[in-house]
Amino acid sequence: AQSVTQPDIHITVSEGASLELRCNYSYGATPYLFWYVQSPGQGLQLLLKYFSGDTLVQGIKGFEAEFKRSQSSFNLRKPSVHWSDAAEYFCAVGRNSGYALNFGKGTSLLVTP
Amino acid sequence: DAGVIQSPRHEVTEMGQEVTLRCKPISGHDYLFWYRQTMMRGLELLIYFNNNVPIDDSGMPEDRFSAKMPNASFSTLKIQPSEPRDSAVYFCASSFGGKNIQYFGAGTRLSVL
């Protein structure tokens, strides 16, 4: 069965510093991979997705992620974090038995001045 | 586009009462998903529909939960009778074509006392 692991429950970074959020997946074929962001009291917003092709994908708000098949990873990065990036970040993989998503447990990002 | 609309945003009820959560998907989308988010289990898929037909309800926790989609623009998730352990945030999402981007509503925060 597909699964997604986000090893870091909480991450704290200083404003302006770089960010990398880790995501590892378990999947038998080429996965569909997603990163979503959830601000407090809000629904989930898609940051970026990977279906195929170029393994480095660009998303909204200056985020990017790199698909590494050999490491079964899809880490999210941003070169310079803004205070407004503080939120919960979810990595997800599309199920091979249908069209729903399996989500990781999320990483809570805190941005300090 | 108004996005996925969920109502109510907050629901507080007493154990044993019936609860109905509502969702209006984005017009033209043919897939609708219901997810539940809790601290312990994260985001879990409950059920999803394609063209108003339930496709996978394996995530529905027990018979107290039921979901319907009487037409392309409306879905309900019903819990009867409700229990305190049902307290969670319930999200509805829709997509066009199952393996495309899912758009999430703002969620319904349910508290069962």
Side-chain angles (χ1 to χ4, degrees):
Chain A
Q2 303 93 313
S3 65
V4 179
T5 302
Q6 293 180 246
D8 304 305
I9 298 174
H10 300 283
I11 281 186
T12 300
V13 298
S14 300
E15 189 167 18
S18 63
L19 171 70
E20 181 169 30
L21 302 182
R22 296 183 291 165
C23 173
N24 293 97
Y25 64 89
S26 171
Y27 196 81
T30 300
Y32 293 176
L33 294 163
F34 306 81
W35 274 99
Y36 281 85
V37 61
Q38 183 182 28
S39 298
Q42 301 298 313
L44 281 74
Q45 180 185 23
L46 181 73
L47 284 176
L48 48 78
K49 65 187 186 298
Y50 173 78
F51 287 175
S52 64
D54 192 347
T55 57
L56 183 64
V57 293
Q58 302 297 320
I60 62 171
K61 304 184 180 184
F63 286 91
E64 66 177 27
E66 186 171 12
F67 169 60
K68 293 185 177 180
R69 184 187 302 276
S70 62
Q71 299 177 18
S72 297
S73 68
F74 188 57
N75 294 349
L76 181 71
R77 300 194 294 251
K78 187 170 185 178
S80 178
V81 171
H82 188 263
W83 64 266
S84 60
D85 293 325
E88 189 90 13
Y89 291 80
F90 293 92
C91 182
V93 61
R95 297 182 178 188
N96 61 1
S97 60
Y99 300 109
L101 298 176
N102 280 357
F103 284 88
K105 291 293 180 68
T107 297
S108 178
L109 174 65
L110 177 64
V111 180
T112 59
Chain B
D1 197 323
V4 177
I5 299 173
Q6 292 186 247
S7 64
R9 288 295 311 276
H10 303 274
E11 177 79 39
V12 180
T13 190
E14 293 186 345
M15 183 174 61
Q17 297 298 305
E18 177 180 296
V19 176
T20 299
L21 311 181
R22 297 173 176 80
C23 176
K24 177 180 170 55
I26 292 173
S27 177
H29 283 190
D30 55 349
Y31 281 82
L32 184 138
F33 306 83
W34 282 100
Y35 292 89
R36 178 172 66 176
Q37 184 180 37
T38 62
M39 290 293 293
M40 290 297 295
R41 301 175 66 89
L43 271 160
E44 307 172 279
L45 175 74
L46 299 178
I47 186 172
Y48 78 91
F49 296 82
N50 174 220
N51 291 325
N52 313 336
V53 176
I55 302 300
D56 183 353
D57 65 354
S58 60
M60 296 286 265
E62 46 197 279
D63 292 345
R64 297 184 298 106
F65 285 70
S66 63
K68 294 182 179 180
M69 192 165 186
N71 56 62
S73 60
F74 184 65
S75 177
T76 60
L77 178 67
K78 185 178 294 187
I79 308 172
Q80 167 62 21
S82 58
E83 297 182 2
R85 60 191 167 125
D86 301 331
S87 298
V89 181
Y90 291 81
F91 287 103
C92 176
S94 69
S95 71
F96 176 70
K99 295 195 175 184
N100 286 322
I101 300 165
Q102 292 184 22
Y103 294 85
F104 282 75
T108 295
R109 181 174 296 278
L110 173 64
S111 297
V112 183
L113 307 177

